[in-house]
Each structure stands twice: as structure tokens, then as C-alpha cells.
């Protein structure tokens, strides 16, 4: 039992970021936390932390031990779930990483509803466009755009495909005309993302080419591009989930029905384990129910609307 006690203190020290904060969480003194870690290091024969007066960080051995301890705790929780009566509510912490804009607009509302429904569920969401290493960073779930790497360490569930299309405001089209063919785009103004020079679009011959447009506006934020497009500043290449409300309100119009627009698969992924904790499975099920309809596109409606 002393061994397991030392492990729980160690995990809290890692996740809290300091012995002082770990002591506060565990209702112990800083001295007691430090002593517990020292005993664990002595028993293992390795240093788990690099410590000085200002900071602490895990050693390579400490990081490896932490990851194994997390997996062991997951197995214990799964075992409890298996022998339970099936009436338990999801409880405990779930850490999820999601792209910034999609996460804020599409994922966050689902997480808020989960927290409202399950009072014992503790959700920690990180909104970042950085590619997160689930295992190394102790993340339970990650939402990723693009192809998933071929790895035996992860399980991935496809949420759907993010579709990118061309849009313009009615005011812009009234002033500059409507592009109906790939070659028409050269005489239009575009609002570009970051350092991109144009948009990948399939031309009339079926070849995917970069459509170049003149541009005096470049933003590294898709929401800012959508707002500028609504204001009539030019054409933009945007994901369908972002401009859904603008389309319904008539503020934006889809363009070029003959073009074959790019799609980017989106997956929800988690570390491979024999038994998923109930808390993680609950979040997966909620996102799997909510996200596919947001990503789904009816191409028949697209063609009809863009042809008008």
C-alpha cells in the first residue's frame, strides 16, 4: 500500500507542476510530498525529477515511469468498470486536444453539455493547432485534421471530412460578377490564408490546379477571413462548418458547382488500451454523435445553389 501511495503522490506532483501545488491537492505538507517522492526514487533506484530552487522537470526515466503509471491506472479503472453494475456515472478527468477554431466553434459546445449532464466529469481541453503527442503529453483524446499516421499505439475514429469551398458575398458578386469557370478566378480578388498563393481546385479538364487570384488581404485566422468575405472584400476558400450560419442568412454564396473541392479527413484518436475508461468513452460517444453532422455536406444542394 505504501508503494501505491507513493505512485499517487508522484502522479499528482507531475500533473500539478510542483510539489507545493501537489501538496495542496493532496492536503499534505510540501515536506511529506518531497519525502514520498524521495522514497519512491530510492526504491526504484533512479531520479524521477530534476529539481532546483526554481523549477522541477521529469527526467527521461521519470517521464517513462509516469506514462506507465497512467496506463496502469487506466487498467485499474477499466477493471472497476467491468465489475460495476453498469449504472455508474462517468467521473474523473478527461484531457482532450483540438484545433483552435474548430474546437471553439464545434467541440466546446459538446464538452459544455457533457459537463452539465455529468457533474463528476472533469474535462480539460487544450485548443491548439500544434500536433500533440498523446502518449508523451498525457492526453486522453485528440482531434486531428489530415491523414492519421500508421501507428500501433493509437486508435482512430473518423468523424467525417472537412470540405473547403469558394464563397463570396452577394455585394461582391454584384460589383465584380460571378466566377463560373476556373479561368474566371484570375480576374477576381481573393482573401488568402497565411502564406498560401491560391486555392487547390479541379479545373474543367479534371486536373487539380492552384487557382491564383490578386490579393491585398492575407490573414492567418479563418474566422477573420470569413468576416472579411461577408464584408465584400473578395472571394475566400473556407471550410463549410465555419460559414454554415452565413449561408443560411444569405450573407455568403457558394461558387463554381463544376469544381471538385478539397476534403480533409478529421479523426478522433486515443492511445490504444484494452479497456477504455467510462469517462473517456463517454466523451468519444458524444463527439461521434455531434461532429459528423457538422462536417457533412450535401453536394446536390451545393450544385443547385451555386448554379443560380
Amino acid at each position: 500500500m505504501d508503494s501505491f501511495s507513493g505512485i499517487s503522490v508522484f502522479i499528482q506532483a507531475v500533473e500539478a507542476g510542483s510539489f507545493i501545488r501537489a501538496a495542496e491537492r493532496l492536503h499534505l505538507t510540501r515536506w511529506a510530498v518531497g519525502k514520498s517522492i524521495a522514497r519512491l526514487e530510492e526504491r526504484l533506484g533512479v531520479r524521477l525529477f530534476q529539481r532546483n530552487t526554481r523549477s522541477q522537470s521529469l527526467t527521461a526515466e521519470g517521464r517513462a515511469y509516469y506514462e506507465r503509471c497512467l496506463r496502469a491506472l487506466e487498467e485499474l479503472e477499466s477493471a472497476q468498470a467491468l465489475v460495476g453494475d453498469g449504472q455508474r456515472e462517468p467521473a474523473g478527468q478527461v484531457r482532450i486536444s483540438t484545433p483552435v477554431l474548430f474546437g471553439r466553434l464545434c467541440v466546446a459546445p459538446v464538452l459544455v453539455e457533457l459537463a452539465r449532464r455529468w457533474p463528476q466529469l472533469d474535462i480539460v481541453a487544450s485548443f491548439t493547432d500544434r500536433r500533440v503527442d498523446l502518449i508523451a503529453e498525457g492526453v486522453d483524446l485528440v482531434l486531428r485534421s489530415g491523414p492519421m499516421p500508421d501507428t500501433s499505439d493509437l486508435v482512430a475514429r473518423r468523424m467525417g471530412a472537412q470540405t473547403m469551398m469558394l464563397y463570396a458575398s452577394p455585394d461582391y458578386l454584384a460589383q465584380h460578377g460571378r466566377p463560373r469557370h476556373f479561368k474566371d478566378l484570375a480576374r477576381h480578388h481573393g482573401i488568402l490564408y497565411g502564406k498560401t498563393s491560391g486555392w487547390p481546385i479541379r479545373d474543367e479538364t479534371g486536373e487539380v490546379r492552384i487557382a491564383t487570384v490578386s490579393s491585398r488581404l492575407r490573414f492567418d485566422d479563418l474566422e477573420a477571413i470569413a468576416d472579411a468575405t461577408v464584408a465584400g472584400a473578395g472571394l475566400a476558400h473556407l471550410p463549410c462548418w465555419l460559414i454554415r450560419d452565413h449561408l443560411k442568412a444569405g450573407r455568403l454564396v457558394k461558387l463554381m458547382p463544376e469544381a471538385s473541392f478539397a476534403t480533409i479527413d478529421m479523426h478522433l484518436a486515443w492511445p490504444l488500451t484494452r479497456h477504455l475508461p467510462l469517462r473517456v468513452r463517454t466523451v468519444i460517444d458524444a463527439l461521434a454523435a455531434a461532429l459528423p453532422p457538422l462536417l457533412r455536406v450535401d453536394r446536390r444542394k451545393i450544385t443547385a445553389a451555386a448554379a443560380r
Side-chain angles (χ1 to χ4, degrees):
M1 293 304 296
D2 289 341
S3 299
F4 286 117
S5 175
I7 291 173
S8 66
V9 172
F10 167 68
I11 290 175
Q12 285 293 336
V14 174
E15 296 184 347
S18 73
F19 287 7
I20 293 176
R21 286 193 290 270
E24 291 173 351
R25 291 183 181 184
L26 295 168
H27 304 290
L28 298 173
T29 64
R30 184 189 183 284
W31 180 88
V33 170
K35 189 67 174 178
S36 179
I37 298 297
R39 288 173 179 167
L40 184 59
E41 289 178 327
E42 183 179 359
R43 188 165 65 249
L44 295 173
V46 297
R47 288 190 65 83
L48 299 173
F49 290 99
Q50 295 286 359
R51 298 186 286 275
N52 57 40
T53 56
R54 293 186 177 181
S55 65
Q56 69 179 44
S57 61
L58 284 172
T59 63
E61 294 82 2
R63 170 60 61 184
Y65 187 64
Y66 172 67
E67 292 169 5
R68 291 298 182 92
C69 286
L70 284 182
R71 294 178 189 176
L73 287 176
E74 286 182 357
E75 290 297 325
L76 288 172
E77 291 175 354
S78 297
Q80 290 178 347
L82 287 175
V83 300
D85 60 5
Q87 300 301 314
R88 286 196 316 124
E89 292 188 358
Q93 188 177 92
V94 177
R95 290 154 294 190
I96 180 171
S97 176
T98 175
V100 176
L101 189 55
F102 186 79
R104 181 160 58 82
L105 297 182
C106 301
V107 177
V110 180
L111 302 181
V112 170
E113 174 59 24
L114 280 171
R116 184 199 64 78
R117 182 178 181 186
W118 305 113
Q120 300 303 313
L121 197 59
D122 180 9
I123 299 173
V124 177
S126 172
F127 298 89
T128 176
D129 293 326
R130 178 178 62 84
R131 203 160 183 84
V132 171
D133 186 325
L134 282 84
I135 306 298
E137 299 182 44
V139 176
D140 298 299
L141 296 169
V142 66
L143 199 64
R144 284 182 176 170
S145 296
M148 289 295 299
D150 184 12
T151 174
S152 59
D153 293 334
L154 299 179
V155 178
R157 183 169 175 177
R158 187 175 180 272
M159 296 289 103
Q162 176 177 263
T163 304
M164 305 288 291
M165 295 186 181
L166 281 182
Y167 301 93
S169 72
D171 288 345
Y172 175 89
L173 296 177
Q175 293 182 41
H176 301 278
R178 187 189 195 98
R180 297 190 181 278
H181 303 282
F182 183 90
K183 62 179 181 294
D184 295 340
L185 296 174
R187 61 182 178 82
H188 281 273
H189 301 292
I191 308 165
L192 298 180
Y193 180 83
K195 298 180 180 180
T196 58
S197 59
W199 310 303
I201 297 177
R202 196 178 303 277
D203 65 14
E204 291 82 356
T205 69
E207 180 183 357
V208 176
R209 299 167 57 191
I210 298 298
T212 56
V213 291
S214 63
S215 176
R216 293 184 298 112
L217 287 175
R218 291 177 179 271
F219 298 139
D220 65 356
D221 180 84
L222 290 176
E223 201 166 24
I225 292 176
D227 291 341
T229 310
V230 170
L235 311 181
H237 193 232
L238 294 165
C240 294
W241 53 263
L242 176 60
I243 47 72
R244 195 178 304 271
D245 290 342
H246 291 314
L247 283 177
K248 290 179 180 178
R251 294 187 291 267
L252 289 180
V253 177
K254 296 186 182 82
L255 304 175
M256 299 181 62
E258 75 279 9
S260 178
F261 295 96
T263 60
I264 305 171
D265 282 345
M266 187 167 286
H267 292 86
L268 188 63
W270 57 91
L272 178 65
T273 181
R274 282 180 291 178
H275 302 293
L276 271 176
L278 178 60
R279 66 180 188 278
V280 177
R281 189 167 63 250
T282 299
V283 177
I284 292 173
D285 291 344
L287 293 174
L291 298 185
L294 298 178
L295 294 168
R296 194 174 298 128
V297 173
D298 189 334
R299 291 190 175 272
R300 292 172 299 179
K301 292 183 179 179
I302 292 169
T303 302
R308 289 198 290 269

